[in-house]
Amino acid sequence: MRWKSSIILGLLGLISLVLVSFKSPQENYSPQFRIAEQTSLYKKGKQLFEKNCQACHYIGMDKVATAPALGGITTRRDQEWLYAYTRDSQKMSREGDSIALQLRSENWGAMFSFPNLTDNDLKAIYTFVEERYLESKSNN
């Protein structure tokens, strides 16, 4: 009987892994997607955030600094847009992107461009942003 339980638990674990692998990239930021990689992504993201973003964005992710609060950004914007905007927000404004134009119309300054950040760098940054935001919400 024990071996049947072990097989069932093993199959459930396998099914869980398969289901997680089919999530969209944006869903990967959710708190349910905690795997070992997330820890290293968080650390890398924190380092990159502190180097590139912290001068303008509040590290708690829930307050406005000289730039908007970033907490929850991955639920409001899709990954492709976030990566493009982070790499060159000014180009997006010039090309007429409606969200970029809206941000400028709300008197937010043009964001610095970060064309050298790789997709993996950006995934790490936005993983850190969302995890840090969840941490700050749970501490309040």
Side-chain angles (χ1 to χ4, degrees):
M1 194 67 169
R2 271 195 172 160
W3 63 272
K4 287 182 182 179
S5 297
S6 296
I7 291 173
I8 291 171
L9 287 174
L11 287 173
L12 288 174
L14 182 61
I15 291 168
S16 297
L17 285 174
V18 169
L19 291 174
V20 166
S21 69
F22 287 111
K23 287 186 173 186
S24 72
Q26 189 165 353
E27 288 177 289
N28 290 348
Y29 297 111
S30 71
Q32 293 83 17
F33 191 76
R34 292 186 182 267
I35 57 173
E37 179 191 30
Q38 197 102 9
T39 302
S40 62
L41 275 178
Y42 181 93
K43 289 176 184 174
K44 179 180 181 180
K46 182 176 188 225
Q47 292 171 338
L48 289 166
F49 183 90
E50 289 171 342
K51 178 182 176 187
N52 298 292
C53 314
Q54 188 172 348
C56 299
H57 294 281
Y58 175 64
I59 198 161
M61 308 305 162
D62 60 346
K63 293 185 176 99
V64 172
T66 57
L70 293 176
I73 192 70
T74 63
T75 61
R76 297 189 309 272
R77 308 281 185 260
D78 71 19
Q79 179 180 307
E80 184 179 335
W81 188 93
L82 283 172
Y83 288 15
Y85 190 79
T86 304
R87 288 188 176 122
D88 197 346
S89 67
Q90 296 170 43
K91 177 182 176 189
M92 291 181 74
S93 292
R94 283 192 308 274
E95 292 178 350
D97 178 83
S98 62
I99 299 169
L101 293 173
Q102 177 186 350
L103 290 169
R104 295 302 304 274
S105 74
E106 294 172 358
N107 294 320
W108 292 111
M111 189 170 104
F112 290 109
S113 295
F114 299 96
N116 296 328
L117 293 175
T118 66
D119 282 356
N120 194 43
D121 291 340
L122 293 169
K123 179 180 180 181
I125 288 170
Y126 287 111
T127 296
F128 169 73
V129 165
E130 294 304 336
E131 290 295 318
R132 179 67 186 101
Y133 177 61
L134 291 172
E135 289 171 11
S136 68
K137 282 177 56 173
S138 68
N139 291 331
N140 290 332

